[in-house]
Amino acid sequence: MSTKRAKLEQREKRIIAAARTVFLKHGFNKAKMSQIADAAALAEGTLYLYYKNKNAIVKAVVVDHWRQITDEAQDALSKTKDSFAQLQALADYHLTMMVKHWRVIELGYVLYYSRSDDAGENAGVDFKRTYAALFDRIIERGQDKGHFTNELSLPFLRDLFYGTLEYAARTLVLHNKPEDIDTNVAQLMAVLRPHLSENVPTDTGDDKAVLKRLERAVRKLERLH
Amino acid sequence: MSTKRAKLEQREKRIIAAARTVFLKHGFNKAKMSQIADAAALAEGTLYLYYKNKNAIVKAVVVDHWRQITDEAQDALSKTKDSFAQLQALADYHLTMMVKHWRVIELGYVLYYSRSDDAGENAGVDFKRTYAALFDRIIERGQDKGHFTNELSLPFLRDLFYGTLEYAARTLVLHNKPEDIDTNVAQLMAVLRPHLSENVPTDTGDDKAVLKRLERAVRKLERLH
DNA sequence: TGTATATATGAGTTAAACTCATTATGATGA
DNA sequence: TCATCATAATGAGTTTAACTCATATATACA
């Protein structure tokens, strides 16, 4: 009973794995169904028993990728309970993954432009949905615990977070600078911090002379960057 | 002399206009070369005298769009000399245009995924280049005039700006809420302000502001070491 | 073991991007 | 105005690759 179902699922996975390899190697257009069939050790016609068409296959590849990524990200987040640290961990993980698997991200674009290909069928671009929810959960929990302000709306914060990181990833890949992941994450967190952390006013009593001296030093340092 | 060249350019424009109509109506895949030819009142073969293939046509459509957008944005910016106001004007214009012409943005995705189609030929995705430069110019001029700090790197700022706005546009289109353009722009500017405006705190009594600024600077230093 | 049902196959069909031999257009000069 | 040449346009024909379907094979069940 379950062996049959298991076997079919096994085949589906084999197709996805084969398709992923072929798509990543050649890109969507130059990838041929015959190549995918070969890589999966199946006849071309058999592919169509599992997926309606080439678009459905690429969609399955992309969806599968985001599912894996979501699982891994969840693990990475569980290492800390501090909301802000979790956010930083997510940003770091997300950017790292995007840079590493940029070709998959580009494959995802196929799904955007080919929407409305077959009215109905190809329903909305909702891969990433559960992944994006990770961010929402962090923010909401941070707000509940009173650590985060809510002066910025959640949808906006989400767009800022993921939009910035996607563009940053493209820049890093384009200029082949994966070592800049950290500085990008740091800058993003610096931007978010004042809008998330409930600022505890620094205690007074500090000597003005010290402040003045510090400020001169900082100004000097700032000029270096 | 010039009439001949002018006529050819005229034809190119007719093809782009026709292609734009057909692509926006049907999407890239369902748009047929024959339809474009019909819409341009030309034979199908003639299209190939002007553009190498379907991809080249869609690229021309997208490039043309961004050229127009760039011109218009420049006009919108010339209304004010204040750097921060210019940034806000650009954000507002950009988001408005993206929401209005979202289908063209999606068409642009075709260029991303189909890169490497024909090694060499389809050189980098550099439409938007001059458009993105508008942002750079505002930032750089603001920094030169001493109104903007430079604690965040230009590439990062650019990715933050355009990345956030693209994601925000997608959200607005998806939820059909074009009236939220203003709130999105406002939130983006609120996020950017503290990192751009040089708010030199008067060291007379304004301890909190000084401390805040010093803290930011120190955190930044900590990140670097 | 025989029959029915489910799954796999790949030669054949079809659609659409692209080519190219032929035809039309228009410029130039006598 | 016409003859010659060069340039541009045409669309029937070719090619490629996604997709189909009649046939073959495997599997479950009595």
Side-chain angles (χ1 to χ4, degrees):
Chain A
M1 279 297 94
S2 72
T3 56
K4 196 166 78 176
R5 172 155 216 84
K7 207 170 131 194
L8 291 189
E9 269 171 29
Q10 196 55 34
R11 256 213 195 355
E12 267 186 35
K13 279 201 192 112
R14 246 202 9 240
I15 293 174
I16 296 305
R20 185 186 161 103
T21 307
V22 176
F23 279 135
L24 290 191
K25 186 164 184 189
H26 298 108
F28 182 73
N29 278 338
K30 303 229 335 188
K32 309 295 175 229
M33 294 299 276
S34 57
Q35 293 177 303
I36 297 173
D38 283 355
L42 290 172
E44 209 178 323
T46 309
L47 296 180
Y48 291 90
L49 297 178
Y50 291 85
Y51 297 96
K52 191 187 147 209
N53 53 28
K54 199 178 173 185
N55 260 285
I57 294 183
V58 80
K59 181 168 184 176
V61 169
V62 173
V63 167
D64 179 70
H65 176 82
W66 283 99
R67 200 188 38 66
Q68 273 178 252
I69 291 300
T70 304
D71 292 349
E72 279 183 42
Q74 229 144 11
D75 288 351
L77 293 186
S78 65
K79 283 176 188 154
T80 175
K81 281 220 159 66
D82 175 56
S83 298
F84 200 81
Q86 283 192 326
L87 214 54
Q88 176 147 11
L90 182 62
D92 189 67
Y93 176 79
H94 188 57
L95 189 50
T96 304
M97 283 303 130
M98 284 203 132
V99 169
K100 191 171 173 189
H101 302 294
W102 184 247
R103 298 295 303 269
V104 183
I105 308 303
E106 285 185 337
L107 263 191
Y109 292 148
V110 173
L111 302 182
Y112 284 119
Y113 91 81
S114 66
R115 188 160 37 94
S116 89
D117 241 39
D118 267 287
E121 174 43 47
N122 223 329
V125 183
D126 51 3
F127 64 108
K128 289 200 212 177
R129 183 67 52 88
T130 54
Y131 186 73
L134 289 181
F135 177 83
D136 292 14
R137 195 149 55 242
I138 296 173
I139 297 294
E140 280 162 354
R141 284 199 49 203
Q143 287 175 344
D144 288 349
K145 289 196 283 184
H147 298 148
F148 284 0
T149 69
N150 55 359
E151 64 182 76
L152 298 177
S153 76
L154 182 54
F156 174 79
L157 274 173
R158 200 194 303 125
D159 289 335
L160 170 71
F161 188 81
Y162 288 116
T164 300
L165 290 176
E166 183 166 323
Y167 266 57
R170 184 179 295 134
T171 299
L172 294 182
V173 170
L174 217 64
H175 296 76
N176 197 24
K177 286 227 164 84
E179 69 273 15
D180 284 358
I181 287 177
D182 291 346
T183 62
N184 272 277
V185 171
Q187 289 183 85
L188 176 58
M189 299 318 286
V191 164
L192 287 177
R193 189 174 289 112
H195 298 275
L196 289 178
S197 307
E198 202 76 69
N199 269 341
V200 183
T202 325
D203 59 334
T204 46
D206 288 16
D207 196 356
K208 268 189 185 166
V210 177
L211 279 179
K212 224 170 176 176
R213 192 174 131 252
L214 280 175
E215 182 161 24
R216 266 202 305 275
V218 168
R219 271 220 187 106
K220 206 170 159 188
L221 283 166
E222 280 177 347
R223 257 175 239 121
L224 298 176
H225 299 289
Chain B
M1 279 296 94
S2 71
T3 54
K4 198 164 78 176
R5 174 154 216 84
K7 207 171 132 194
L8 292 188
E9 269 170 28
Q10 195 55 35
R11 259 216 194 349
E12 269 186 34
K13 281 202 192 109
R14 247 203 5 240
I15 293 175
I16 297 305
R20 186 186 161 101
T21 306
V22 176
F23 280 135
L24 290 191
K25 185 163 183 189
H26 299 107
F28 182 73
N29 277 338
K30 305 238 310 193
K32 309 296 174 228
M33 294 299 276
S34 56
Q35 293 177 304
I36 297 173
D38 283 355
L42 289 172
E44 210 176 323
T46 309
L47 295 179
Y48 292 89
L49 296 178
Y50 291 86
Y51 298 95
K52 193 187 146 210
N53 53 29
K54 197 178 173 184
N55 260 285
I57 294 184
V58 80
K59 183 170 182 175
V61 168
V62 173
V63 167
D64 178 71
H65 177 82
W66 283 99
R67 198 188 39 65
Q68 273 179 252
I69 291 300
T70 305
D71 292 347
E72 279 184 43
Q74 230 144 11
D75 288 350
L77 294 184
S78 64
K79 283 179 187 152
T80 175
K81 280 219 157 66
D82 175 56
S83 297
F84 199 81
Q86 283 192 325
L87 215 54
Q88 175 147 12
L90 182 61
D92 189 67
Y93 176 78
H94 187 57
L95 188 51
T96 304
M97 282 303 129
M98 287 203 130
V99 169
K100 190 171 171 189
H101 301 294
W102 186 247
R103 298 295 302 269
V104 183
I105 308 302
E106 285 185 336
L107 262 191
Y109 293 148
V110 174
L111 302 181
Y112 285 118
Y113 90 81
S114 67
R115 186 161 38 97
S116 88
D117 241 37
D118 266 286
E121 173 44 47
N122 222 329
V125 183
D126 51 3
F127 64 107
K128 287 199 214 176
R129 184 65 52 87
T130 53
Y131 186 73
L134 288 181
F135 177 82
D136 292 15
R137 195 148 57 246
I138 295 174
I139 297 294
E140 279 161 355
R141 284 200 50 203
Q143 288 175 345
D144 288 350
K145 289 195 284 184
H147 299 148
F148 284 1
T149 69
N150 55 359
E151 63 182 78
L152 299 176
S153 76
L154 182 54
F156 173 79
L157 274 172
R158 200 194 301 124
D159 290 334
L160 170 70
F161 188 81
Y162 288 117
T164 301
L165 290 177
E166 184 166 323
Y167 266 58
R170 183 178 297 132
T171 299
L172 293 182
V173 170
L174 218 62
H175 297 74
N176 197 24
K177 287 229 165 79
E179 69 273 15
D180 283 359
I181 286 177
D182 290 345
T183 63
N184 272 276
V185 170
Q187 290 184 85
L188 176 58
M189 298 319 285
V191 163
L192 288 177
R193 190 173 290 110
H195 298 273
L196 287 177
S197 306
E198 190 87 66
N199 49 351
V200 181
T202 47
D203 55 1
T204 55
D206 199 356
D207 290 357
K208 269 192 199 165
V210 178
L211 279 174
K212 214 169 174 181
R213 176 156 168 270
L214 289 181
E215 263 173 25
R216 259 210 314 275
V218 167
R219 279 206 208 98
K220 192 178 160 196
L221 283 170
E222 284 169 351
R223 279 201 307 279
L224 294 175
H225 302 294

